Amino acid sequence: MRRLFPVTDQTPASPRDRADREWSLDELADAYAYPSLGPDGHWLRANMVSTLDGAAQHDGRSQPISGETDMKIFGTLRALADVVVVGAETVRQEGYRPARAREAFAARREAAGQGPAPAIAVVTARMDLDFSLPLFTSPLVPTLVVTGAAAPADRVAEAVKAGAEVVVAGDGAAVDPARAVRELADRGLRRQLTEGGPRLLGQFVAADALDELCLTISPMLAAGDAQRIAGGPSVTVPHRLAPASVLEEAGFLFTSYRRI
C-alpha cells in the first residue's frame, strides 16, 4: 500500500518506507485513529465505497465493488469504533451479523477503555427487522435499535424481548440523525462509525452530523441506476471537508476527509 500524501502528523514513517510492502493492522489503526475527544465529545465517521462512476452498490450490495484491502480497512475501522451505526435496509440487504472480537485489536481496545467489539446500532422508523437473526439473538455486545418515540409498540416490545436495547432519538416515528449521535454518545459510544446505507448517510449529511468520510474509490465502472453513497434530503450549501489522507493499493484509492 502506498501513501500518496500524509495522514496529518499521526502517521509515522515515510511513503518510501511503505511503498513496497503491505501495511500492518497496527499501522492502519494508527493511520485511522480517531481524534482526541473531550469529556463530552463524539466523532461520527462514515465508511463507504464507490465506483469511478459513482455507484455505491452493484445488484443491491457493496461487496461486488469492494476488494481485499478495502475489507481490511473496513475491519480496521470497525475495530476502532465504539458503535457501528447502520440503516435497517442495509441490515436486510447486506445480511448484517454481530461484530466480532479480533485478537489483533484486543490490547488497543482495552487500552482505550472499549469492550471486546463494537456494538451495532440499527436505525429504523418502522422497526421492520427480523429479531430472530443472530444480530439480535447472539451478539457479543447487545445490539441497539435506534428509533422514534412513535415507533410501533409491538415491534419495540419484540426488540426488547430479543435482547436489543431500544434508543429513542426522535419525537415521531422518524429518527433525528443529530439526536441519534448524541443519544449514543450519552451511552458512552462516542467513537461512532456509520456504514450507510446511502439513505442514512444522506440524513447524517443533511443534519450536519458527519465529522469524517472514509471513501474507497473502486477502479470499476458500473453504469446502471445504482444509488450513490448518500441520498435523501439536500443541503442548502454543500458541506466542504478537508482531505486527511489518501492511500493506494491495486488501483483502489482509500481516502479520508474531515470536517473543517
Side-chain angles (χ1 to χ4, degrees):
M1 183 177 294
R2 187 160 56 96
R3 179 160 57 110
L4 302 185
F5 64 80
V7 178
T8 73
D9 56 2
Q10 62 186 341
T11 302
S14 67
R16 182 178 304 170
D17 294 331
R18 293 201 175 97
D20 299 321
R21 67 178 179 85
E22 185 176 342
W23 282 38
S24 70
L25 289 177
D26 275 338
E27 288 171 331
L28 282 176
D30 287 340
Y32 284 101
Y34 279 82
S36 297
L37 302 176
D40 300 319
H42 48 72
W43 188 267
L44 174 65
R45 67 168 31 144
N47 181 33
M48 301 292 283
V49 59
S50 170
T51 63
L52 295 172
D53 54 347
Q57 303 165 337
H58 185 67
D59 288 338
R61 299 178 65 240
S62 60
Q63 188 276 333
I65 63 172
S66 181
E68 182 179 351
T69 303
D70 182 46
M71 294 309 299
K72 186 175 181 179
I73 291 176
F74 172 93
T76 300
L77 293 178
R78 277 196 162 201
L80 297 174
D82 296 327
V83 61
V84 177
V85 188
V86 62
E89 182 65 19
T90 298
V91 167
R92 290 189 290 266
Q93 288 186 347
E94 302 280 354
Y96 260 61
R97 298 184 63 84
R100 59 188 177 90
R102 299 183 60 187
E103 182 61 32
F105 297 97
R108 185 182 291 264
R109 290 187 66 85
E110 183 177 2
Q114 297 173 300
I120 304 292
V122 184
V123 178
T124 175
R126 296 184 292 117
M127 303 285 289
D128 184 15
L129 297 164
D130 183 353
F131 294 112
S132 69
L133 293 175
L135 178 61
F136 301 101
T137 61
S138 58
L140 187 61
V141 179
T143 295
L144 299 98
V145 176
V146 184
T147 192
D154 59 331
R155 301 298 294 164
V156 171
E158 190 170 346
V160 173
K161 183 179 178 180
E165 178 183 352
V166 176
V167 178
V168 175
D171 295 329
V175 172
D176 177 337
R179 181 172 165 183
V181 170
R182 295 193 302 270
E183 291 287 347
L184 292 172
D186 287 346
R187 288 163 172 77
L189 305 173
R190 303 193 300 141
R191 303 174 189 89
Q192 301 173 4
L193 170 68
T194 181
E195 297 169 350
R199 184 182 304 173
L200 179 61
L201 179 56
Q203 291 171 353
F204 281 129
V205 171
D208 196 21
L210 189 70
D211 298 298
E212 180 181 1
L213 173 63
C214 297
L215 175 63
T216 295
I217 301 174
S218 171
M220 301 180 188
L221 296 170
D225 57 359
Q227 290 179 296
R228 57 187 185 134
I229 65 166
S234 62
V235 297
T236 304
V237 178
H239 302 162
R240 181 155 188 168
L241 304 180
S245 70
V246 180
L247 310 176
E248 185 272 340
E249 175 72 23
F252 286 79
L253 294 180
F254 306 97
T255 71
S256 174
Y257 291 83
R258 289 186 171 186
R259 177 190 293 276
I260 297 174

